[in-house]
């Protein structure tokens, strides 16, 4: 009895040998509880050991396995074969990023932008450890919690046409993380992040396409973070026009 | 994709096609939403011309209105109205996301904010309809 | 593989997870004259710390005491933990929790604004801090984002450490492969800290991510450092069948029930009762992990477990907790169950079974994180200090990352400040040897064996002989199989000949490490003729303090590992019978 199979059309790219990526087709067993990642592992283990991709936790929390599945940015560990049956399934590297090899993209740009937005708690004065934790009510935690759920999977950058057309854009995840800290009641660093956010390549490059929030697997809603940062940025600008002598928050 | 970043040898830099916006329904809706601004801009100019004509006196006004009664302009105005409605609806749907209102400890549900915006729109529209159309 | 450049730092940390990042920050804060490097085979936010769910334990409340936390930990370890180390651990834990809170970790809160604590297995008092049910995720991201503040912490992302440089009997850095371009480099350092995690992937069903292949343990092992207590492998009682994905102990801490195929809360039959509606600390579903995993296996032997396509399982019932509580405190559990087994725990019980989760054993260190090799330190799951002994209590390991990451970081920093610079001439020779070895053994390998085949046979052998229940015959068979697999490994063939991002070479090197780790586990287990904690033998069912109140030490040889022993440090808690 032959097992049912499904076809994966996978991007291959060998730097130094290929001038551009090409597609290779693989036939893998079709199992109802397999995800695309299981199929890729099957290919690597049994068919072609040179297939190259990133993965780790296989439960949607490490952010390694982001790829384009039928043109949509997805975590391949959460993309079930049964949702694409009968296939074929197109698996490509994450859009808008330079491709290192096969399905692996270069993340240096994001890592630099992450650092640029100063994603750490900034305070005028630190409380000594002996005095215990900063008090924070459940409501104050709710104010930023959603934006702290980002797993840095980069699906939002792959979905953002602005990032594709103008890659200097700081981008959804980085801005959402900046917003997470701005909204944290313990943080006092808004004035350090604000210059980065209010540059033209900061929040103002965003035209609210909204696809970043659609593809986010953790429901972070980076689009909301960016628009809210625009509101506070605009308010700051207006206040600084009206009261140039007043200090910013 | 413009290469603002320095290029590393061996890396493949994919280029976005000009038809990128056709690849996902979300992108198409976005482009339509943005395109509505063109129609609204033209409508605004049309409106300013009308206002200018009013200032110039009844003859000039009658002449402009006469020109605007042509089938071409009527079609344009219908389309512009549809697009303006589409733009307004999408804009109001997004206010729930953008504007966070807190009452004490609790956050006002976004749906309520959106409903409020629509309600205010309907009320103002009905009022204007009555004031300008019905009363005259 | 080409190019042979040298990089140099004062402190080099292998592994960018919770322990590695905490060590880096601690070293940076020890002195601003130090150059610190963190080298990781994945970007730090991908480290397996990210998957930890339940929480991190520390004494935070007035109804708690350091002695109680210490006693719970030592009792849970079946008296194999070193008590002086445990005392230091419980003392430093609360400060570490506050420190990471100051760094932005979004702990769940009580209405008055203080950090919340919840119940966890084996803990007498509620003392487990948590960030919903993604504690490891939030801790890792808080640490990683905080580490970005320090300019002196340099990162080598997606570099794979292939061997330690040992020069004049002192560890002087390491050789590493840069995945991005396949080049091999020496990174010299005055102190090296290994924080590369455990090796759960030597078993077939595990909560562990793909990257948990014991690379760090193997690095130290090959350089001559002993691996301590390797026979103690923890099975987490509630993993999803098939994938092994973790369903956190917090689901039991919040009140979840384990039921067999008759809908019966079977744990009451195993001296863990009586069954109460609300969870009682250390009873029933809040018993320690080793005991719960054994109960499951005994239910299976009695024919009272369900049978599914991935073997036997039982039910974890959360329905009585209600949707509101599940969405507030266990939202990730709900998401995982829905996505991976198609079950909504608000309406149906979740299928679960014991899966390998944690290695109590690891690189032997002292209370400061120092290993017997000069210049080498270790912290986190890859190390064995030991606070976990023969069985770890849930929520102690996230705390362990912070306490011992800090200790190792500080100790390594202080050592580096004293030590003169590493001479680069002898290093060059070592590096070209290493380059040649990697080339012959891996990049040009064209034998008949497939990596996946050897890996799967190793995993099957480990599950068969070194699983929850062990006996001499089973362990001997496993040790023999592992020796054969080690020989077959010399004959592997790789298809990927590219230098750039060659993940097949990485997989081969990971398998190399796993074979070493597996042999240490199986051989240490064979020689421990007693049952203690998670090591349960049907041929020696009782704990034997006379012969085995001691740590095993596995040393690498050309053949099977040589096993030696180290006494356990007892301070104030004399070993007693472990009853709950």
């Amino acid at each position: 009895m032959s097992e049912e199979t499904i076809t994966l059309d996978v991007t291959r790219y060998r730097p130094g040998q290929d001038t551009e990526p090409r597609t290779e087709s693989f036939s893998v067993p079709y199992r109802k509880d397999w995800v695309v990642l299981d199929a890729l592992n099957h290919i690597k283990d049994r068919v072609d050991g040179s297939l190259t991709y990133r993965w780790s936790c296989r439960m949607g929390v490490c952010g390694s396995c982001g790829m384009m599945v039928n043109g949509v940015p997805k975590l391949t560990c959460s993309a079930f074969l049964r949702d694409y049956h009968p296939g074929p399934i197109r698996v490509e590297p994450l859009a808008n990023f330079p491709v290192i090899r096969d399905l692996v993209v270069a993340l240096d740009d994001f890592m630099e932008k992450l650092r640029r937005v100063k994603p750490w708690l900034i305070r005028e004065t630190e409380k000594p450890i002996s005095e215990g934790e900063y008090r924070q009510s459940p409501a104050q935690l709710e104010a930023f919690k959603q934006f702290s759920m980002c797993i840095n999977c980069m699906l939002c950058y792959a979905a953002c046409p602005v990032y594709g057309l103008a890659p200097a854009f700081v981008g959804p995840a980085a801005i959402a993380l900046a917003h997470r800290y701005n909204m944290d009641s313990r943080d006092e660093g808004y004035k350090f992040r604000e210059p980065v956010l209010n540059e033209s390549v900061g929040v103002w490059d965003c035209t609210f396409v909204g696809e970043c929030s659609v593809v986010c697997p953790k429901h972070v809603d980076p689009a909301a973070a960016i628009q809210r940062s625009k509101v506070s940025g605009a308010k700051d600008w207006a206040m600084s026009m009206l009261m140039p002598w007043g200090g910013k928050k | 994709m413009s290469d603002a970043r320095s290029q590393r040898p061996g890396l493949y830099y994919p280029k976005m096609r000009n038809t990128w916006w056709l690849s996902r329904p979300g992108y198409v809706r976005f482009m339509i939403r943005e395109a509505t601004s063109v129609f609204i801009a033209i409508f605004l100019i049309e409106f300013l011309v009308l206002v200018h004509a009013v200032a110039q006196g009844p003859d000039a006004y009658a002449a402009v209105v006469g020109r605007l009664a042509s089938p071409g302009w009527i079609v344009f105005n219908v389309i512009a109205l549809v697009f303006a409605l589409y733009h307004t609806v999408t804009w109001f749907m997004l206010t729930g996301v953008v504007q966070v209102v807190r009452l004490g400890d609790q956050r006002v549900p976004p749906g309520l904010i959106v409903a409020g915006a629509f309600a205010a729109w309907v009320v103002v529209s009905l009022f204007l309809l009555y004031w300008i159309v019905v009363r005259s | 593989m080409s190019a042979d450049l040298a990089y140099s730092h004062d402190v080099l940390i292998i592994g960018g997870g919770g322990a590695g990042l905490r060590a880096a920050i601690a070293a940076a804060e020890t002195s601003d004259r130090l150059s610190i490097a963190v080298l990781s085979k994945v970007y730090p936010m991908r480290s397996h710390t990210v998957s930890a769910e339940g929480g991190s334990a520390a004494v935070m409340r007035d109804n708690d005491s350091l002695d109680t936390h210490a006693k719970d930990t030592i009792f849970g370890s079946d008296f194999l933990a070193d008590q002086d180390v445990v005392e230091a651990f419980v003392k430093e834990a609360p400060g570490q929790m506050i420190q990471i809170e100051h760094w932005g970790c979004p702990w769940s809160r009580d209405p008055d604004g203080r950090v919340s604590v919840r119940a966890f297995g084996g803990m007498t008092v509620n003392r487990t801090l948590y960030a919903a049910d993604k504690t490891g995720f939030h801790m890792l991201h808080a640490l990683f984002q905080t580490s970005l503040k320090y300019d002196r912490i340099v990162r080598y992302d997606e570099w794979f450490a292939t061997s330690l440089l040992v020069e004049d009997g002192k560890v002087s850095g390491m050789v590493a492969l840069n995945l991005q371009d396949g080049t091999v480099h020496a990174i010299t350092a005055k102190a090296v800290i290994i924080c590369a995690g455990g090796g759960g992937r030597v078993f077939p069903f595990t909560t562990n991510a793909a990257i948990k292949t014991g690379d760090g343990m193997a690095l130290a092992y090959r350089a001559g450092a002993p691996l301590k207590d390797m026979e103690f492998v923890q099975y987490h009682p509630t993993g999803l069948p098939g994938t092994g994905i973790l369903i956190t102990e917090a689901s039991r801490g919040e009140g979840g029930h384990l039921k067999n195929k008759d809908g019966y809360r079977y744990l009451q039959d195993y001296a863990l009762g009586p069954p109460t509606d609300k969870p009682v600390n250390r009873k029933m579903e809040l018993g320690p992990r080793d005991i719960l995993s054994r109960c499951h296996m005994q239910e299976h032997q009695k024919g009272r477990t369900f049978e599914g396509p991935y073997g036997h399982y039982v039910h974890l019932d959360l329905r009585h907790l209600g949707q509101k509580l599940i969405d507030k405190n266990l939202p990730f559990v709900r998401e995982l169950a829905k996505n991976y087994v198609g079950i909504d725990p608000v309406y149906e019980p979740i299928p679960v079974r014991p899966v390998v989760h944690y290695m109590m054993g690891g690189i032997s260190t002292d209370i400061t994180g120092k290993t017997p090799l000069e210049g080498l330190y270790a912290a986190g799951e890859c190390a064995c200090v030991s606070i976990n002994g023969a069985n770890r209590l849930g929520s102690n390991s996230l705390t362990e990352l912070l306490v011992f990451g800090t200790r190792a970081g500080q100790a390594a920093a202080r050592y580096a400040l004293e030590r003169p610079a590493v001479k680069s001439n002898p290093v060059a020779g070592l590096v070209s040897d290493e380059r040649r070895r990697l080339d012959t053994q891996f990049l040009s390998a064209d034998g008949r064996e497939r990596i996946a085949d050897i890996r799967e046979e190793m995993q099957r052998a480990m599950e068969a002989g070194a699983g929850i229940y062990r006996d001499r015959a089973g362990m001997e068979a496993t040790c023999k199989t592992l020796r054969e697999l080690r020989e077959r490994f010399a004959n592997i063939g790789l298809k990927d000949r590219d230098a750039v991002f060659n993940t097949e070479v990485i997989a081969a090197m990971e398998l190399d490490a796993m074979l070493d780790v597996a042999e240490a586990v199986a051989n240490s287990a064979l020689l421990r003729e007693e049952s203690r904690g998670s090591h349960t033998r049907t041929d020696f069912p009782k704990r034997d303090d006379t012969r085995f109140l001691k740590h095993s030490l596995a040393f690498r040889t050309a053949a099977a590992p040589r096993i030696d022993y180290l006494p356990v440090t007892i301070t104030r808690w004399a070993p007693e019978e472990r009853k709950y």
Side-chain angles (χ1 to χ4, degrees), chain A residues 14-15 17 33-35 44-64 77-78 80 82 100-101 104 106-108 110-111 114-115 119-121 123 126-138 141 144-145 148-154 177 180-181 184 186 217-219, chain C residues 43-46 48 50-51 53 60 95 98-99 101-115 132 134 137-138 141-142 144-146 148-151 155 157-158 180 201 206-211 243-246 310 328 332 335-336 339-340 450 452-453 455-456 495-496 498 500-504 507:
Chain A
R14 282 158 28 179
Q17 288 166 66
D33 57 354
W34 269 23
V35 288
K44 190 172 178 75
D45 284 345
R46 306 269 159 228
V47 182
D48 182 351
S50 68
L51 179 61
T52 303
Y53 49 96
R54 290 188 177 113
W55 72 291
S56 183
C57 73
R58 50 90 172 99
M59 58 194 263
V61 74
C62 74
S64 306
C77 69
S78 316
F80 286 86
R82 59 178 183 249
I100 298 176
R101 183 168 171 196
V104 176
L107 299 178
D108 311 69
F110 170 72
M111 298 304 285
L114 177 63
R115 201 163 181 199
W120 52 78
L121 217 60
R123 288 188 63 86
E126 290 275 348
K127 193 169 161 175
I129 304 288
S130 51
E131 286 180 24
E133 67 266 48
Y134 295 116
R135 296 295 176 107
Q136 185 171 71
S137 71
L141 176 62
F144 72 89
K145 189 161 160 199
S148 71
M149 303 296 268
C150 174
I151 61 176
N152 300 163
C153 64
M154 248 51 28
L177 274 166
R180 168 254 181 277
Y181 281 96
D184 191 329
R186 303 168 289 183
K218 296 287 142 186
H219 314 294
Chain C
Y43 281 97
M45 57 281 197
R46 318 298 187 211
H48 194 54
V50 84
S51 318
E53 297 171 9
M60 306 294 287
I98 302 296
Q99 176 65 84
E101 189 273 336
H102 284 196
W103 284 335
C105 186
W107 295 119
S108 291
R109 303 279 177 160
D110 284 348
D112 66 358
R114 300 187 64 191
V115 296
K134 294 178 84 163
F137 164 81
H138 284 293
H141 280 250
F144 176 58
Q145 285 158 19
T146 301
L148 297 175
K149 267 200 300 200
Y150 299 85
D151 286 328
R155 280 201 340 268
D157 294 328
E158 296 187 319
Q180 300 271 321
R201 282 265 155 172
T206 172
T207 61
N208 285 193
I211 56 176
T243 53
I245 287 174
L246 174 68
Y310 295 106
K328 177 157 177 283
F332 193 37
E335 191 186 318
L336 289 170
N339 285 343
Y340 291 99
R450 269 208 291 222
D453 292 336
R455 189 173 61 219
E456 282 168 25
K495 187 154 187 269
D496 194 349
D498 260 294
V500 174
F501 225 92
N502 190 328
T503 49
E504 207 185 15

Side-chain angles (χ1 to χ4, degrees), chain A residues 167-193:
Chain A
F169 176 40
V170 171
I175 297 176
L177 274 166
H179 187 67
R180 168 254 181 277
Y181 281 96
N182 287 339
M183 297 302 294
D184 191 329
S185 56
R186 303 168 289 183
D187 179 75
E188 293 164 345
Y190 175 77
K191 61 177 183 275
F192 298 105
R193 295 187 199 97

